[in-house]
Amino acid sequence: SSELTQDPAVSVALGQTVRITCQGDILRTYCATWYQQKPGQAPVLVMYGKNNRPSGIPDRFSGSSSGNTASLTITGAQAEDDADYYCNSRAGSVDRWVFGGGTKLTVL
Amino acid sequence: QARLVQSGAEVKEPGASVKVSCKASGYTFTGHYMHWVRQAPGQGLEWMGIINPTGRRRWYEEKFQGRVTLTRDTSTSTDYMELTSLRSDDTAVYYCARDSSRWFGANQGWWFDPWGQGTLVTVSS
């Protein structure tokens, strides 16, 4: 399958650690990429490759991958991390890309 | 730094066509592919297609085949997405996003950065 599966919603207490996961067979071959989206705004890249943060993204964000699962971990979640998070990857050998359904992260 | 600026909101009747533009600045336009992604109200992100740096090759998500056309004007560093035969369920925010890629060990990865600000297309009679 070339699809990506995410939990629809996750919550975390302020200052605690949360892991958002993305599953799909294509992740055995291609790296997952993670985007953060806040209401009314365009998505923002927060993680790419194995564990690469763009400039400006806090180091509390980290990425990992094992088998068919990629994870985005926020260590010490802040109120401003309350957002939707989408994983994305190339969908196989053809020139097609796919997004996960998104995870709504609530920081309590 | 790299920046993508999209055209303004559109309201179209069912059956009509819409053409959204995406003007790039701050980087070598012909050095990158460009993706188009849409997001229906309250829904997730949906990949639509990609155009290559010269504008001579495009690849589309199967569900949009025959209705979407991506074009590129390298003289103005502008990409275009045209969607025809509009339906009410085409109401969405449409984004352009610059493609980058490289190898990370044995795995290749792609990322979309930056994104345009989005263009709301409303299809309504």
Side-chain angles (χ1 to χ4, degrees):
Chain A
S1 169
S2 59
E3 304 311 311
L4 298 175
T5 302
Q6 297 182 243
D7 291 327
V10 172
S11 62
V12 60
L14 184 67
Q16 296 304 300
T17 297
V18 62
R19 175 177 292 182
I20 300 169
T21 61
C22 175
Q23 287 188 302
D25 288 341
I26 55 177
L27 299 181
R28 298 182 186 277
T29 304
Y30 302 108
C31 295
T33 304
W34 292 92
Y35 302 92
Q36 176 194 71
Q37 187 181 34
K38 296 181 180 180
Q41 298 183 21
V44 171
L45 176 70
V46 295
M47 193 63 58
Y48 65 100
K50 300 283 187 179
N51 183 14
N52 294 266
R53 278 178 294 106
S55 61
I57 301 302
D59 61 6
R60 63 179 179 271
F61 288 84
S62 63
S64 63
S65 183
S66 178
N68 73 337
T69 302
S71 301
L72 177 71
T73 300
I74 307 174
T75 303
Q78 302 299 302
E80 59 263 33
D81 301 333
D82 193 298
D84 294 328
Y85 291 85
Y86 294 91
C87 62
N88 167 260
S89 177
R90 181 164 174 154
S93 59
V94 295
D95 290 291
R96 175 179 177 260
W97 278 257
V98 64
F99 287 92
T103 297
K104 180 174 179 55
L105 175 66
T106 300
V107 179
L108 305 171
Chain B
Q1 73 272 26
R3 189 178 180 213
L4 302 174
V5 177
Q6 298 183 222
S7 49
E10 303 263 13
V11 179
K12 297 291 183 181
E13 292 191 346
S17 300
V18 68
K19 192 169 186 176
V20 177
S21 68
C22 170
K23 183 170 178 58
S25 62
Y27 70 96
T28 302
F29 183 65
T30 51
H32 291 262
Y33 290 68
M34 189 76 76
H35 296 270
W36 287 83
V37 176
R38 79 175 186 180
Q39 185 172 38
Q43 303 301 307
L45 301 172
E46 181 175 34
W47 184 80
M48 297 181 68
I50 183 173
I51 188 166
N52 82 331
T54 64
R56 295 197 183 104
R57 299 192 70 190
R58 311 106 167 141
W59 297 264
Y60 303 124
E61 176 61 63
E62 187 172 352
K63 71 176 284 187
F64 299 109
Q65 287 276 4
R67 287 208 302 140
V68 69
T69 303
L70 302 184
T71 55
R72 164 169 285 208
D73 183 345
T74 56
S75 69
T76 60
S77 299
T78 303
D79 278 314
Y80 298 91
M81 186 283 300
E82 183 173 26
L83 190 62
T84 62
S85 302
L86 290 169
R87 309 184 290 251
S88 58
D89 62 359
D90 290 317
T91 294
V93 176
Y94 291 77
Y95 295 100
C96 57
R98 186 186 71 170
D99 175 88
S100 293
S101 69
R102 60 169 258 231
W103 287 90
F104 300 90
N107 299 93
Q108 192 169 7
W110 287 261
W111 60 98
F112 303 179
D113 181 59
W115 293 60
Q117 84 275 20
T119 296
L120 175 62
V121 176
T122 303
V123 182
S124 174
S125 55

